[in-house]
Amino acid sequence: MSWRQRVLVLGGTTEARELARRLATEGQVEVTSSLAGRVRDPVLPEGEVRVGGFGGEAGLARWLVERSIHRVIDATHPFAATITSHAARAATQVHVPLLVLRRPAWVAGPGDRWHEVGSLQQAARILPGLGRRPLLTTGRQGVDAFADLDELAFVVRTVDPPDVPLPRRHTLLLDRGPYTLAGELDLMVRHAIDVLVTKNSGGHATAAKLEAARRRGIPVVMVSRPPLPGGVPVVHGVEDALAWLGDSHQ
Ligand code: NAP
């Protein structure tokens, strides 16, 4: 019987699901995907799945040892900075090789009117100077940064209902991508959106809003990604993550 290495994929993203699917179907490694358990009805990856926090960096380090994990791929969302820093420290501590899989960031193109900011708080600060009817697509966490902007009429789009205070004037849309350009244009016209607020999540599933904003000539408040921990190898696609594992597949 051939020896199979055990791989932990820290997930919660399309890329993590695609990676787990490839690993589960190709059958050369034993893959466990880990989800935080934030989304009520998550799209589950193929293969073994565990849900919930590890109990900090120390808990994750312990889990890696107890489960004899050989490699970790952190394929979490670019804004999930806490788990990414825990993974980097835990993997170093217990000498388990770690790879970060991060989809490329979006880059402004001709015709884009981006205002790049470092945080949701900064986004909230500049927003009143840019429009009156923002489409807010930064996710439900941290949406309370906009709660005091009484003079703006928001459309807030999230997967699950936010459990923090929302701006006084808002319409809540519960929806999950992928989104189409036609759908995004229609949404912006219907709600007379005049400014878009988004995190620089990257990826195709939610990129149509940027093209829609460009076509409508509306400004975009783009929240930049938090920095990655130093010294950890990073790839930007599933194929490269598979190649990183490839050496020890036999
Ligand atoms: P975070 O702030 O980086 O992490 C907070 C805590 O949640 C971590 O300390 C860890 O708890 C737990 N956690 C996070 N990801 C986990 C995972 N994949 N498996 C097990 N535990 C996990 O993360 P977040 O921003 O709340 O995001 C949570 C999850 O949602 C991530 O897996 C991410 O991929 C996904 N997601 C996030 C965003 C976003 O905008 N932040 C968007 C889409 C999807 P312990 O300390 O107890 O281990």
Side-chain angles (χ1 to χ4, degrees):
M1 203 167 75
S2 65
W3 178 84
R4 298 205 306 166
Q5 62 169 329
R6 281 182 284 277
V7 176
L8 171 66
V9 174
L10 296 169
T13 58
T14 312
E15 294 72 30
R17 273 196 303 279
E18 173 60 11
L19 179 62
R21 188 186 69 75
R22 293 281 300 272
L23 292 173
T25 50
E26 288 169 16
Q28 288 152 319
V29 303
E30 282 177 33
V31 60
T32 301
S33 295
S34 176
L35 303 179
R38 298 266 191 287
V39 177
R40 242 180 239 165
D41 180 23
V43 184
L44 288 178
E46 285 180 39
E48 190 189 347
V49 180
R50 66 164 299 287
V51 181
F54 294 94
E57 171 191 334
L60 176 55
R62 224 173 13 251
W63 196 92
L64 295 177
V65 171
E66 281 167 11
R67 297 289 302 256
S68 305
I69 297 293
H70 298 103
R71 298 204 182 198
V72 180
I73 299 183
D74 171 2
T76 55
H77 191 271
F79 283 82
T82 305
I83 187 71
T84 289
S85 99
H86 287 179
R89 290 204 296 263
T92 304
Q93 201 183 312
V94 297
H95 309 290
V96 174
L98 167 73
L99 179 75
V100 172
L101 165 58
R102 279 290 176 284
R103 57 177 91 137
W106 291 318
V107 178
D112 280 327
R113 298 172 55 202
W114 286 16
H115 299 260
E116 296 196 55
V117 295
S119 66
L120 292 174
Q121 288 68 25
Q122 276 180 33
R125 238 170 276 140
I126 67 166
L127 197 51
L130 295 172
R132 312 316 286 166
R133 302 186 62 85
L135 172 59
L136 190 56
T137 63
T138 51
R140 77 191 166 111
Q141 293 185 64
V143 77
D144 50 330
F146 302 89
D148 293 337
L149 299 178
D150 288 343
E151 70 278 27
L152 307 188
F154 285 82
V155 172
V156 180
R157 184 169 69 189
T158 57
V159 175
D160 287 324
D163 48 13
V164 292
L166 290 175
R168 188 170 57 84
R169 298 170 63 201
H170 75 266
T171 303
L172 180 62
L173 301 179
L174 298 181
D175 203 355
R176 188 195 322 242
Y179 300 104
T180 63
L181 177 58
E184 297 296 55
L185 283 167
D186 179 60
L187 174 76
M188 287 180 183
V189 170
R190 232 173 334 116
H191 292 275
I193 296 300
D194 58 6
V195 56
L196 169 68
V197 189
T198 178
K199 291 174 175 169
N200 195 335
S201 300
H204 301 296
T206 59
K209 61 190 171 188
L210 300 175
E211 174 66 22
R214 184 181 307 137
R215 292 203 186 179
R216 293 192 53 72
I218 69 172
V220 176
V221 181
M222 181 64 71
V223 183
S224 308
R225 295 176 173 195
L228 284 166
V232 179
V234 182
V235 295
H236 299 292
V238 168
E239 290 301 330
D240 291 333
L242 290 168
W244 181 76
L245 288 172
D247 297 347
S248 42
H249 263 178
Q250 339 302 331

